[in-house]
Amino acid sequence: MKASLVRELGTGFELAEIEIADPIGREVLVEVKASGLCHSDELAANHDLGYQPPMLLGHEVAGVVTAVGPDVTQFVLGDHVVGCLVQYCGACGKCIEGRTGLCENPAATLRGADEAPRLSENGAAVAQGMGLGGFAQQVLVHENQLAGVPEEMPWPQAALLGCGVVTGAGAVLNTANVQPSDAVVVIGLGGVGLNAINGAVTAGAATIIAIDIADDKLTRAQDFGATHVINSQTSDPIAEVMAITGVGADAVFDFVGVGPVTEQGLQMVAPGGGLYLIGLLDPTTTVAVSSLEMLSNKRRIEGVYMGSTTAKRDIPLYAKLYLEGRFELDSLVSKEISLGEINEGYASLKDPKIARVVVTNLA
């Protein structure tokens, strides 16, 4: 099959022909119909995150089931599915509690060292990023990493459900458990931040404040349902948030992940509220906090992984809300590209007018 590989860190994506195995055990073979470009894959293509090149990245995947292993119980041929990078065994203590993002044995979703690799090129193994490897014509994945969606769901929007949507909306709905009376701040209005606004609207948050440095993104945030917008380059965002809320926000979501922005976010939190860290633009970011201030005002800081998502519950839910017109996804799909244009696709994401890029031409 055709695939876009990373052969060396920092060299970008290169179109290649590789081999994909037949499904065994609980594996499902999926014909890819759409694959979204997420910044996490770009990060993995340029930094050592544990995968050894050559590697196949891409984890926002939607497609059709074309074959199943003998032990698969959840899917049949022809099912429409979305992949999710959360790998979980389903049997450990955390999984039984419903906290699949903290699975103690995520490697149970992969093949063992004594088994033939799922992906290979001229007989040599190709690393499969996040158990998916979606920048290709097909994916071979454990059934735990898939969720079914209705056939009416358009492919580009379906692909986004697997990461950007569950991460943004899930941070609001699952992690922070935002309530209708709450004031919410969303810092950073890329595709994931916009989905946090989707989540805040779904939760019925009374006040939804969107912050960015690009006016195009602020305008789009209003279309998604933000009640207030702040350009942090032209005004003091902390003062603006205090002027709107009086005491600060119940939940502040940082989708940027650089020190000065995170520190500003903490200062926007109301007593009893929380700062939720999702973005990771700078992996070296640290935040200085006053223990006395945090204790006396009962503030908290929490890291959020994949929106505390239970994929098989959340992905079908967001698909249902979208099909009912209650969840905005259409305007997230800014550009559709071919499998050989991934480098150009990532470059285009620097344009503030572009929310998300999706590979839909896989021929």
Side-chain angles (χ1 to χ4, degrees):
M1 67 173 181
K2 289 182 181 178
S4 189
L5 299 183
V6 174
R7 295 200 178 278
E8 297 292 340
L9 294 178
T11 61
F13 296 84
E14 176 186 320
L15 203 60
E17 290 276 348
I18 68 171
E19 294 77 46
I20 187 165
D22 293 327
I24 61 174
R26 297 178 64 188
E27 292 176 343
V28 179
L29 185 65
V30 178
E31 179 187 353
V32 176
K33 296 294 186 180
S35 189
L37 271 61
C38 177
H39 285 296
S40 297
D41 287 312
E42 187 179 30
L43 190 68
N46 291 287
H47 302 277
D48 184 0
L49 300 186
Y51 302 110
Q52 295 300 315
M55 57 186 171
L56 178 58
L57 300 173
H59 62 270
E60 287 188 337
V61 186
V64 179
V65 174
T66 56
V68 297
D71 300 326
V72 169
T73 60
Q74 302 173 39
F75 302 102
V76 297
L77 273 60
D79 281 350
H80 288 208
V81 294
V82 169
C84 183
L85 63 85
V86 177
Q87 296 169 251
Y88 66 95
C89 68
C92 70
K94 297 299 184 184
C95 286
I96 291 170
E97 292 172 6
R99 303 166 73 189
T100 55
L102 296 174
C103 175
E104 298 164 2
N105 187 25
T109 60
L110 303 175
R111 290 192 177 186
D114 59 340
E115 295 176 305
R118 289 176 178 169
L119 306 171
S120 60
E121 183 182 32
N122 300 321
V126 172
Q128 184 182 30
M130 304 174 196
L132 288 164
F135 291 154
Q137 292 176 316
Q138 299 177 89
V139 295
L140 183 59
V141 58
H142 193 284
E143 64 178 333
N144 282 2
Q145 285 190 255
L146 296 173
V149 292
E151 292 186 6
E152 300 88 345
M153 192 75 194
W155 292 120
Q157 289 83 342
L160 300 184
L161 292 173
C163 179
V165 174
V166 297
T167 299
V172 175
L173 296 169
N174 298 331
T175 313
N177 191 26
V178 167
Q179 300 298 303
S181 61
D182 286 350
V184 169
V185 171
V186 177
I187 307 174
L189 302 173
V192 184
L194 290 171
N195 277 299
I197 295 177
N198 265 333
V201 170
T202 300
T207 304
I208 305 171
I209 304 169
I211 301 177
D212 205 283
I213 61 173
D215 287 334
D216 288 328
K217 292 185 177 182
L218 294 169
T219 299
R220 189 183 294 126
Q222 289 178 306
D223 295 337
F224 272 70
T227 60
H228 302 76
V229 295
I230 300 170
N231 187 318
S232 57
Q233 242 182 1
T234 58
S235 61
D236 180 347
I238 301 169
E240 292 282 346
V241 168
M242 292 302 171
I244 294 166
T245 63
V247 294
D250 300 286
V252 177
F253 300 92
D254 176 10
F255 290 96
V256 180
V258 295
V261 172
T262 304
E263 290 171 1
Q264 286 182 336
L266 184 57
Q267 295 179 63
M268 299 173 190
V269 178
L275 171 65
Y276 299 90
L277 307 181
I278 305 102
L280 195 63
L281 187 60
D282 179 5
T284 66
T285 292
T286 59
V287 184
V289 299
S290 162
S291 298
L292 176 62
E293 194 277 335
M294 297 292 283
L295 287 168
S296 60
N297 288 290
K298 300 178 179 63
R299 291 189 176 100
R300 62 191 176 278
I301 300 175
E302 185 171 351
V304 183
Y305 172 66
M306 287 297 292
S308 306
T309 290
T310 300
K312 291 184 185 295
R313 174 197 66 195
D314 294 345
I315 289 174
L317 170 62
Y318 299 146
K320 177 179 184 291
L321 293 175
Y322 165 78
L323 291 172
E324 292 174 351
R326 296 192 287 153
F327 209 89
E328 176 54 44
L329 295 178
D330 292 339
S331 58
L332 285 175
V333 183
S334 305
K335 187 175 184 180
E336 297 182 36
I337 62 172
S338 70
L339 192 57
E341 296 175 317
I342 292 177
N343 294 317
E344 294 82 356
Y346 274 115
S348 71
L349 285 173
K350 295 179 174 62
D351 183 346
K353 295 184 175 65
I354 302 293
R356 215 65 167 178
V357 177
V358 184
V359 177
T360 53
N361 180 0
L362 294 117

